[in-house]
Amino acid sequence: MMAVTLRVNDREYTRTVEPRTLLVHFLRDELRLTGTHWGCDTSNCGTCVVLMDGEPVKSCTVLAATASRYAVRTVEGLEGEQGLDPVQLGFAAEHGLQCGFCTPGMLMSARALLDRMAARGSAGGNPLPTDAEIREAISGQICRCTGYTTIVRSIRWAAEHSGEEAHP
Amino acid sequence: MQVPAAFEYERASSVEHALGLLAQLGPGARLLAGGHSLLPMMKLRLASPAYVIDIDPLVSELGYVREHGDEVRIGAMTRHRELLESPLLREKLAIFTDAERVIADPVVRNRGTIGGALCQADPSEDLSAVCAAVGASIVIRGLDSERVVPIEAFGRGPYRTAVGDAEMVTEIRVPLRAGSGSAYEKLDRRAGDWAVAAAGVSVTLTDGLIERAGIALAAVGAGTRSAEAEAALAGRPPSQEAFEQAAAAAADGARPVSDQRGSARYKRHLAGVLVLRALNRAAERATR
């Protein structure tokens, strides 16, 4: 057993776990942050995606011990004082989910994409992702309900609406 | 539920530290780089190391792509995403950029490393074919040793490499040759899958003739380099006829097996088609 300290959604947690504990199980079973879903277990489906230092990773294929070097952000960390994150609002507005199983991973990859687009916008580039860029960003994730079209539309909605906030 | 067998965890803070731990803990220890080859193998219990030495912190020491004299040097902990986004590779060794676009998916590319991919030595792994085509060398370090091994001597068959128990790969060195162009062509069934077949090609033109050709295949059996295909091009001017002969030679030398990704006959045909496409793109880039 070993003590692992993780910074998740700006809070620090220490738990004593086996070294083989994967990040997804640390989040779900130790911290009871069950918003992160556990799917294929083989780094294919992407429902377990969380952010480490702002970049999406598949938490079924990262040891919790490795993640302790990074700031982890999960779907529970999306909602802020201003209310829901634009990506969450986008998925509601454009019907980006049906059963909801893939949604936490999709939301986190979308958040990382939009953060990257904001940085590109600040550097003088286009702050809005193209549909091809949105599709590429979620290409490591599987949805069996929507056919992806409404997910792409939801992320585009979020990009267009975060633009308004960032550049009033 | 897939869970690795129990192990003891160590974290290395430097190359020296990692090599010291490897020497101290013995052959039951394995290095964990990005984790996207080793952890899946451990979940399937195809690997059950007694000790896992996490080298994630070495990304700061071994994460780089830089020009050094007439070589490009790539640190073993450079992640797929860094390779994909490297302007230096896109300009001078576009075969890496081609391949990285189709290796796994963007989320996996955020973690997986070139050193980890090469050390897993999966017969379908793309960067092994890329490194073979460009004639890369692999730097292998031990506590008191450093060896530079040509890529042909690095792979020792599926999942086996020249890296010893107390050694680690620290760097990949790729020669830069004037008048060169390179390309990678891969067919997969869906985004992020292993290749049905893939071909990497590098050509160097001198005075309008092909001075050197490197042709390597992935996922179709046998060794990665195709010496017959390379010989079919050496000393000739680039032409469709020469490229077609090389592609046919590469297909002849392939030893694919029938599986869920396709029949052996189909894969052999595909290998030739992909070599031909890669040769055309590489030659175009060489003359640009």
Side-chain angles (χ1 to χ4, degrees):
Chain A
M1 303 293 275
M2 65 185 289
V4 171
T5 300
L6 276 198
R7 187 152 194 84
V8 183
N9 302 329
D10 296 324
R11 258 191 71 186
E12 217 163 73
Y13 303 85
T14 301
R15 296 288 186 276
T16 301
V17 296
E18 283 191 276
R20 60 177 163 171
T21 306
L22 297 160
L23 177 57
V24 64
H25 300 306
F26 191 94
L27 294 170
R28 289 178 55 85
D29 302 340
E30 299 295 327
L31 307 187
R32 307 307 293 171
L33 292 171
T34 53
T36 300
H37 288 171
W38 169 48
C40 72
D41 225 350
T42 58
S43 62
N44 281 289
C45 81
T47 192
C48 68
V49 166
V50 301
L51 306 187
M52 283 180 11
D53 286 358
E55 292 301 337
V57 304
K58 293 181 173 175
S59 63
C60 73
T61 310
V62 176
L63 294 176
T66 302
S68 65
R69 298 182 60 236
Y70 299 83
V72 177
R73 192 173 180 200
T74 70
V75 70
E76 288 91 345
L78 280 182
E79 187 180 357
E81 283 171 10
Q82 312 293 318
L84 293 178
D85 188 282
V87 297
Q88 293 172 304
L89 295 172
F91 273 65
E94 297 289 348
H95 308 285
L97 63 143
Q98 289 181 31
C99 87
F101 190 75
C102 73
T103 310
M106 292 288 181
L107 290 172
M108 298 317 285
S109 282
R111 182 68 265 152
L113 173 70
L114 297 194
D115 287 346
R116 207 187 259 214
M117 291 299 114
R120 187 169 80 180
S122 306
N126 183 2
L128 293 179
T130 63
D131 278 7
E133 285 170 330
I134 294 173
R135 287 181 177 275
E136 169 70 6
I138 59 168
S139 63
Q141 285 155 269
I142 293 171
C143 170
R144 290 299 187 224
C145 303
T146 65
Y148 302 100
T149 301
T150 55
I151 294 177
V152 173
R153 217 180 273 155
S154 302
I155 297 173
R156 196 196 308 142
W157 187 101
E160 285 163 359
H161 288 74
S162 1
E164 285 162 20
E165 282 164 46
H167 311 282
Chain B
M1 182 172 180
Q2 295 185 10
V3 182
F7 55 81
E8 298 288 319
Y9 177 88
E10 299 280 352
R11 182 184 290 156
S13 54
S14 67
V15 170
E16 292 296 319
H17 187 197
L19 290 170
L21 286 167
L22 279 174
Q24 173 200 330
L25 300 172
R30 283 283 174 280
L31 298 178
L32 182 73
H36 279 61
S37 300
L38 183 57
L39 284 175
M41 299 279 274
M42 288 167 64
K43 286 178 167 192
L44 295 169
R45 306 288 172 113
L46 294 171
S48 303
Y51 298 91
V52 165
I53 303 169
D54 189 349
I55 57 170
D56 193 60
L58 271 54
V59 115
S60 51
E61 190 178 345
L62 296 181
Y64 56 83
V65 181
R66 59 173 80 115
E67 206 167 339
H68 183 98
D70 54 0
E71 290 177 335
V72 167
R73 296 185 168 184
I74 303 171
M77 284 295 289
T78 307
R79 301 197 197 274
H80 291 296
R81 177 175 161 190
E82 264 78 52
L83 298 172
L84 175 61
E85 294 179 351
S86 162
L88 177 62
L89 292 176
R90 190 174 308 128
E91 188 198 332
K92 302 202 166 168
L93 290 162
I95 186 172
F96 279 91
T97 320
D98 288 352
E100 286 296 350
R101 247 182 225 123
V102 290
I103 289 176
D105 61 62
V107 184
V108 169
R109 291 197 295 263
N110 275 340
R111 291 294 303 162
T113 65
I114 183 170
L118 293 178
C119 286
Q120 193 197 16
D122 189 292
S124 299
E125 196 277 312
D126 299 291
L127 290 179
S128 302
V130 168
C131 286
V134 297
S137 300
I138 313 295
V139 181
I140 302 174
R141 274 191 59 186
L143 258 189
D144 306 305
S145 64
E146 181 176 296
R147 306 186 279 144
V148 183
V149 177
I151 187 77
E152 292 85 355
F154 181 76
R156 297 273 173 87
Y159 308 105
R160 291 178 62 236
T161 70
V163 184
D165 284 337
E167 292 184 317
M168 67 184 285
V169 171
T170 54
E171 191 175 78
I172 293 85
R173 295 181 180 170
V174 185
L176 288 173
R177 305 178 187 91
S180 290
S182 60
Y184 197 72
E185 291 280 347
K186 169 176 172 176
L187 187 88
D188 51 13
R189 295 173 305 169
R190 55 179 166 80
D193 196 13
W194 295 99
V196 178
V201 159
S202 166
V203 293
T204 305
L205 301 179
T206 305
D207 301 329
L209 299 178
I210 299 171
E211 185 197 341
R212 177 195 176 277
I215 298 178
L217 300 171
V220 289
T224 47
R225 276 287 275 283
S226 178
E228 297 79 9
E230 293 172 2
L233 293 174
R236 297 175 69 180
S239 69
Q240 206 53 31
E241 189 196 354
F243 290 170
E244 281 170 9
Q245 285 171 5
D252 276 349
R255 295 286 173 272
V257 292
S258 297
D259 62 13
Q260 78 277 15
R261 291 190 172 84
S263 68
R265 191 160 161 260
Y266 168 63
K267 290 183 186 180
R268 184 188 301 281
H269 169 75
L270 187 58
V273 170
L274 295 175
V275 166
L276 185 59
R277 284 183 194 164
L279 277 169
N280 275 302
R281 277 174 69 207
E284 189 216 313
R285 284 168 171 167
T287 51
R288 205 158 47 195

